[in-house]
Amino acid sequence: MDKKMIVEKVAELARPIAEACGVELVDVEYVRERDWYLRVYIDKEGGIDIDDCSAVSSELEKALDAGDFIKEKYYLEVSSPGIDRPLKKDKDFTDHYGQKVDLVFYAPYEGKKNWTGLVLVSHDPAFLVVKDFRNRKLTIDRKLIASVRPHLDF
């Protein structure tokens, strides 16, 4: 089973578990660093705590053991996505309407690989609409964007 299929299957298992624990499943990653890591990110209004992570981890571990579809040895991590988590889903962009985000493109877009702009709502999930620093409204194909994260001012 390839990484993408594993991520999809884990998300299917984790979503109802997260909901039963009173949290939202935000993202799932299956990555190889030195070892394999299965990372499950959860969140809820007001933030999550160690008890939320522990509850989801315990139930998900049982479901993963029962399914036994990941053949490699891996470490399961359940945590908060953090304040700078990548925005990926339509809901993420809707939740960040009018807020600054940092965009990183796969290749330069209008001469730059890194942009900061304000999120505007787009009704087409294939595109992201942002207002740039020159106050221009840009409709950008999401396939061109490597990542979008909330902009953090310090």
Coordinates of all heavy atoms in Angstrom, one line a residue, residues 26-27 81-97 99-106 113-120 125-130 140-152:
V26 N -7.6 17.3 11.6 CA -7.1 18.4 10.8 C -6.3 17.8 9.6 O -6.5 18.2 8.4 CB -6.3 19.4 11.6 CG1 -5.6 20.4 10.7 CG2 -7.1 20.0 12.6
D27 N -5.4 16.8 9.9 CA -4.5 16.3 8.8 C -3.9 15.0 9.3 O -3.9 14.7 10.5 CB -3.4 17.4 8.6 CG -2.8 17.2 7.2 OD1 -3.2 16.3 6.4 OD2 -1.8 17.8 7.0
P81 N -1.9 20.8 15.4 CA -1.2 21.2 14.2 C -0.3 22.4 14.4 O 0.5 22.8 13.5 CB -2.3 21.5 13.2 CG -3.5 21.8 14.0 CD -3.4 21.0 15.3
G82 N -0.5 23.2 15.5 CA 0.2 24.4 15.7 C -0.4 25.6 15.1 O -1.2 25.5 14.2
I83 N 0.1 26.8 15.5 CA -0.5 28.0 15.0 C -0.1 28.3 13.5 O -0.8 29.0 12.8 CB -0.2 29.2 15.8 CG1 1.3 29.5 15.9 CG2 -0.8 29.1 17.2 CD1 1.6 30.8 16.6
D84 N 1.0 27.7 13.1 CA 1.4 27.9 11.7 C 1.2 26.8 10.8 O 1.8 26.6 9.8 CB 2.9 28.3 11.7 CG 3.8 27.1 12.1 OD1 3.3 26.2 12.8 OD2 5.0 27.1 11.7
R85 N 0.2 26.0 11.1 CA -0.1 24.8 10.3 C -0.5 25.1 8.9 O -1.1 26.2 8.7 CB -1.2 24.0 10.9 CG -2.6 24.6 10.8 CD -3.7 23.6 11.4 NE -5.0 24.2 11.4 CZ -5.9 24.0 10.5 NH1 -5.6 23.3 9.4 NH2 -7.1 24.6 10.6
P86 N -0.1 24.3 8.0 CA -0.5 24.6 6.6 C -2.0 24.6 6.4 O -2.7 23.8 7.0 CB 0.1 23.4 5.8 CG 1.1 22.8 6.7 CD 0.7 23.1 8.1
L87 N -2.5 25.5 5.6 CA -3.9 25.5 5.2 C -4.1 24.7 4.0 O -3.4 24.9 3.0 CB -4.4 26.9 4.9 CG -4.1 28.0 6.0 CD1 -4.6 29.3 5.6 CD2 -4.6 27.5 7.4
K88 N -5.0 23.7 4.0 CA -5.1 22.7 2.9 C -6.6 22.6 2.4 O -6.8 22.5 1.2 CB -4.6 21.4 3.3 CG -3.1 21.3 3.6 CD -2.7 19.9 4.0 CE -1.2 19.9 4.3 NZ -0.7 18.5 4.6
K89 N -7.5 22.6 3.4 CA -8.9 22.3 3.0 C -9.6 23.6 2.7 O -9.2 24.7 3.2 CB -9.6 21.6 4.2 CG -8.9 20.3 4.6 CD -9.6 19.7 5.8 CE -8.8 18.5 6.4 NZ -9.3 18.2 7.7
D90 N -10.7 23.5 2.0 CA -11.6 24.6 1.7 C -12.0 25.3 3.0 O -12.0 26.5 3.1 CB -12.8 24.2 1.0 CG -12.5 23.8 -0.5 OD1 -11.4 24.1 -1.0 OD2 -13.3 23.0 -1.0
K91 N -12.3 24.5 4.1 CA -12.7 25.1 5.4 C -11.6 25.9 6.0 O -11.8 27.0 6.6 CB -13.1 24.0 6.3 CG -13.6 24.4 7.7 CD -13.9 23.2 8.6 CE -14.4 23.6 9.9 NZ -13.5 24.5 10.7
D92 N -10.3 25.5 5.8 CA -9.2 26.3 6.3 C -9.2 27.7 5.7 O -9.0 28.7 6.4 CB -7.9 25.6 6.0 CG -7.7 24.2 6.6 OD1 -8.3 24.0 7.7 OD2 -6.9 23.4 6.1
F93 N -9.4 27.8 4.4 CA -9.4 29.1 3.7 C -10.6 29.9 4.1 O -10.5 31.1 4.4 CB -9.3 28.9 2.2 CG -8.0 28.2 1.8 CD1 -8.0 26.9 1.3 CD2 -6.8 28.9 1.9 CE1 -6.8 26.3 0.9 CE2 -5.6 28.3 1.5 CZ -5.6 27.0 1.0
T94 N -11.7 29.3 4.3 CA -12.9 30.0 4.8 C -12.7 30.5 6.2 O -13.0 31.7 6.5 CB -14.2 29.1 4.7 OG1 -14.3 28.6 3.4 CG2 -15.4 29.8 5.2
D95 N -12.1 29.7 7.0 CA -11.8 30.1 8.4 C -10.8 31.3 8.5 O -10.8 32.0 9.5 CB -11.3 28.9 9.2 CG -12.3 27.9 9.5 OD1 -13.6 28.1 9.3 OD2 -12.0 26.8 10.0
H96 N -10.0 31.4 7.5 CA -8.9 32.4 7.5 C -9.3 33.6 6.6 O -8.4 34.4 6.2 CB -7.6 31.8 7.1 CG -7.0 31.0 8.2 ND1 -7.4 29.7 8.5 CD2 -6.1 31.3 9.1 CE1 -6.7 29.3 9.5 NE2 -5.9 30.2 9.9
Y97 N -10.6 33.7 6.2 CA -11.0 34.8 5.3 C -10.6 36.2 5.9 O -10.7 36.4 7.1 CB -12.5 34.8 5.2 CG -13.1 36.0 4.5 CD1 -12.9 36.2 3.1 CD2 -13.6 37.1 5.2 CE1 -13.4 37.3 2.5 CE2 -14.1 38.2 4.6 CZ -14.0 38.3 3.2 OH -14.4 39.5 2.6
Q99 N -7.6 37.2 6.5 CA -6.4 37.2 7.3 C -5.2 37.0 6.3 O -5.3 36.5 5.2 CB -6.4 36.0 8.3 CG -7.5 36.1 9.3 CD -7.6 34.9 10.3 OE1 -6.6 34.2 10.4 NE2 -8.7 34.8 10.9
K100 N -4.1 37.5 6.8 CA -2.8 37.3 6.1 C -2.3 35.9 6.0 O -2.4 35.2 7.1 CB -1.7 38.2 6.7 CG -1.7 39.6 6.3 CD -0.5 40.3 6.9 CE -0.5 41.8 6.7 NZ 0.7 42.4 7.3
V101 N -1.9 35.5 4.9 CA -1.3 34.1 4.7 C 0.0 34.3 3.9 O 0.2 35.2 3.2 CB -2.2 33.1 4.0 CG1 -3.4 32.8 4.9 CG2 -2.6 33.6 2.6
D102 N 0.9 33.3 4.1 CA 2.1 33.2 3.4 C 2.0 32.1 2.4 O 1.7 31.0 2.8 CB 3.3 33.0 4.3 CG 3.6 34.1 5.2 OD1 3.4 35.3 4.8 OD2 4.0 33.9 6.4
L103 N 2.2 32.4 1.1 CA 2.1 31.4 0.0 C 3.5 31.1 -0.5 O 4.3 32.0 -0.6 CB 1.3 32.0 -1.1 CG -0.2 32.2 -0.9 CD1 -0.4 33.6 -0.4 CD2 -1.0 31.9 -2.1
V104 N 3.8 29.9 -0.7 CA 5.0 29.4 -1.3 C 4.6 28.7 -2.6 O 3.8 27.8 -2.6 CB 5.9 28.5 -0.4 CG1 7.1 28.0 -1.1 CG2 6.2 29.2 0.9
F105 N 5.2 29.1 -3.7 CA 4.9 28.5 -5.0 C 6.0 27.5 -5.4 O 7.1 27.6 -5.0 CB 4.8 29.6 -6.1 CG 3.6 30.5 -5.9 CD1 3.7 31.7 -5.1 CD2 2.4 30.2 -6.5 CE1 2.6 32.5 -5.0 CE2 1.3 31.0 -6.3 CZ 1.4 32.2 -5.5
Y106 N 5.5 26.5 -6.2 CA 6.5 25.5 -6.7 C 7.5 26.2 -7.6 O 8.7 25.9 -7.6 CB 5.8 24.4 -7.5 CG 5.0 23.5 -6.6 CD1 3.6 23.5 -6.7 CD2 5.6 22.6 -5.8 CE1 2.8 22.7 -5.9 CE2 4.9 21.8 -4.9 CZ 3.5 21.8 -5.0 OH 2.7 21.0 -4.2
K113 N 8.7 33.5 -5.5 CA 8.2 32.2 -5.0 C 7.5 32.3 -3.7 O 6.8 31.4 -3.3 CB 9.4 31.2 -4.8 CG 9.8 30.5 -6.1 CD 10.8 29.4 -5.9 CE 10.1 28.2 -5.4 NZ 10.9 27.0 -5.4
N114 N 7.7 33.4 -3.0 CA 7.1 33.6 -1.7 C 6.2 34.9 -1.7 O 6.7 35.9 -2.2 CB 8.1 33.8 -0.6 CG 9.0 32.5 -0.5 OD1 8.4 31.4 -0.2 ND2 10.2 32.7 -0.7
W115 N 5.0 34.7 -1.3 CA 4.0 35.9 -1.3 C 3.3 35.9 0.0 O 3.1 34.9 0.7 CB 2.9 35.6 -2.3 CG 3.3 35.8 -3.8 CD1 4.1 35.1 -4.5 CD2 2.8 36.9 -4.6 NE1 4.2 35.6 -5.8 CE2 3.4 36.7 -5.9 CE3 1.9 37.9 -4.4 CZ2 3.1 37.5 -6.9 CZ3 1.6 38.7 -5.5 CH2 2.2 38.6 -6.7
T116 N 2.9 37.1 0.4 CA 2.0 37.3 1.5 C 0.8 38.1 1.0 O 0.9 39.0 0.2 CB 2.7 38.1 2.7 OG1 3.8 37.4 3.1 CG2 1.7 38.4 3.8
G117 N -0.4 37.6 1.4 CA -1.6 38.2 0.9 C -2.8 38.0 1.9 O -2.6 37.2 2.9
L118 N -3.9 38.6 1.6 CA -5.1 38.4 2.4 C -6.0 37.3 1.7 O -6.2 37.4 0.5 CB -5.9 39.7 2.6 CG -5.3 40.8 3.4 CD1 -6.2 42.0 3.3 CD2 -5.0 40.4 4.8
V119 N -6.5 36.4 2.5 CA -7.4 35.4 1.9 C -8.7 36.0 1.6 O -9.4 36.6 2.5 CB -7.6 34.2 2.8 CG1 -8.6 33.2 2.3 CG2 -6.2 33.5 3.1
L120 N -9.2 35.8 0.4 CA -10.6 36.1 0.0 C -11.3 34.8 -0.3 O -10.6 33.8 -0.8 CB -10.6 37.0 -1.2 CG -9.9 38.4 -1.0 CD1 -9.9 39.2 -2.3 CD2 -10.4 39.2 0.1
P125 N -13.0 25.3 -5.6 CA -11.9 24.8 -4.8 C -10.6 24.6 -5.5 O -9.5 24.3 -4.9 CB -12.4 23.4 -4.4 CG -13.6 23.1 -5.3 CD -14.1 24.4 -5.8
A126 N -10.6 24.7 -6.8 CA -9.3 24.6 -7.6 C -8.5 25.9 -7.6 O -7.3 25.9 -8.0 CB -9.6 24.2 -9.1
F127 N -9.1 27.0 -7.1 CA -8.4 28.3 -7.0 C -8.4 28.9 -5.7 O -9.3 28.7 -4.9 CB -9.0 29.2 -8.1 CG -8.9 28.8 -9.5 CD1 -9.9 28.0 -10.0 CD2 -7.8 29.1 -10.2 CE1 -9.8 27.5 -11.4 CE2 -7.7 28.6 -11.5 CZ -8.7 27.9 -12.1
L128 N -7.4 29.7 -5.4 CA -7.4 30.5 -4.2 C -7.4 32.0 -4.6 O -6.6 32.4 -5.5 CB -6.1 30.2 -3.4 CG -5.9 31.0 -2.1 CD1 -7.0 30.7 -1.1 CD2 -4.6 30.6 -1.5
V129 N -8.3 32.7 -4.0 CA -8.3 34.2 -4.3 C -7.7 34.9 -3.1 O -8.1 34.8 -2.0 CB -9.8 34.6 -4.5 CG1 -9.9 36.1 -4.8 CG2 -10.5 33.8 -5.6
V130 N -6.7 35.8 -3.4 CA -6.0 36.5 -2.4 C -5.9 38.0 -2.9 O -6.0 38.3 -4.1 CB -4.6 36.0 -2.1 CG1 -4.7 34.6 -1.5 CG2 -3.7 36.0 -3.3
I140 N -5.6 32.4 -8.1 CA -4.4 31.6 -8.3 C -4.8 30.1 -8.3 O -5.5 29.6 -7.4 CB -3.3 31.8 -7.2 CG1 -3.0 33.3 -7.2 CG2 -2.1 31.0 -7.5 CD1 -2.2 33.7 -6.0
D141 N -4.4 29.4 -9.3 CA -4.6 28.0 -9.4 C -3.9 27.3 -8.2 O -2.7 27.5 -8.1 CB -4.1 27.4 -10.7 CG -4.4 26.0 -11.0 OD1 -4.6 25.2 -10.0 OD2 -4.6 25.6 -12.2
R142 N -4.6 26.5 -7.4 CA -4.0 25.9 -6.3 C -2.8 24.9 -6.6 O -2.0 24.6 -5.8 CB -5.0 25.1 -5.4 CG -5.8 26.1 -4.6 CD -6.5 25.2 -3.5 NE -7.5 26.0 -2.8 CZ -8.4 25.4 -2.0 NH1 -8.4 24.1 -1.8 NH2 -9.2 26.1 -1.3
K143 N -2.9 24.4 -7.9 CA -1.8 23.5 -8.3 C -0.4 24.1 -8.4 O 0.6 23.5 -8.3 CB -2.1 22.9 -9.7 CG -3.3 22.0 -9.7 CD -3.6 21.5 -11.1 CE -4.9 20.7 -11.1 NZ -5.4 20.5 -12.5
L144 N -0.4 25.5 -8.4 CA 0.8 26.2 -8.5 C 1.4 26.5 -7.1 O 2.6 26.9 -7.0 CB 0.6 27.6 -9.2 CG 0.0 27.5 -10.6 CD1 -0.2 29.0 -11.1 CD2 1.0 26.8 -11.5
I145 N 0.6 26.3 -6.1 CA 1.0 26.6 -4.7 C 1.5 25.4 -4.0 O 0.8 24.4 -3.8 CB -0.2 27.2 -4.0 CG1 -0.8 28.4 -4.7 CG2 0.2 27.6 -2.5 CD1 -2.1 28.9 -4.2
A146 N 2.7 25.5 -3.4 CA 3.3 24.4 -2.7 C 2.7 24.4 -1.2 O 2.4 23.3 -0.7 CB 4.8 24.6 -2.6
S147 N 2.6 25.6 -0.6 CA 2.0 25.6 0.7 C 1.4 27.0 1.0 O 1.9 28.0 0.5 CB 3.1 25.3 1.8 OG 4.0 26.3 1.9
V148 N 0.5 27.0 1.9 CA -0.2 28.2 2.4 C -0.2 28.1 3.9 O -0.7 27.1 4.5 CB -1.6 28.4 1.9 CG1 -2.2 29.7 2.4 CG2 -1.6 28.4 0.4
R149 N 0.3 29.1 4.6 CA 0.3 29.1 6.1 C -0.1 30.4 6.6 O 0.1 31.4 5.9 CB 1.7 28.8 6.6 CG 2.3 27.4 6.3 CD 3.7 27.3 6.9 NE 4.3 26.0 6.6 CZ 4.1 24.9 7.3 NH1 3.4 24.9 8.5 NH2 4.7 23.7 7.0
P150 N -0.7 30.4 7.8 CA -1.1 31.7 8.4 C 0.2 32.6 8.5 O 1.3 32.1 8.9 CB -1.6 31.4 9.8 CG -2.1 29.9 9.6 CD -1.1 29.3 8.7
H151 N 0.1 33.9 8.2 CA 1.2 34.8 8.4 C 1.3 35.2 9.8 O 0.3 35.5 10.5 CB 1.0 36.0 7.5 CG 2.1 37.0 7.6 ND1 3.3 36.9 7.0 CD2 2.2 38.2 8.3 CE1 4.0 37.9 7.3 NE2 3.4 38.7 8.1
L152 N 2.5 35.1 10.4 CA 2.7 35.4 11.8 C 3.5 36.6 11.9 O 4.7 36.7 11.4 CB 3.4 34.2 12.5 CG 2.7 32.9 12.5 CD1 3.6 31.8 13.1 CD2 1.4 32.9 13.1

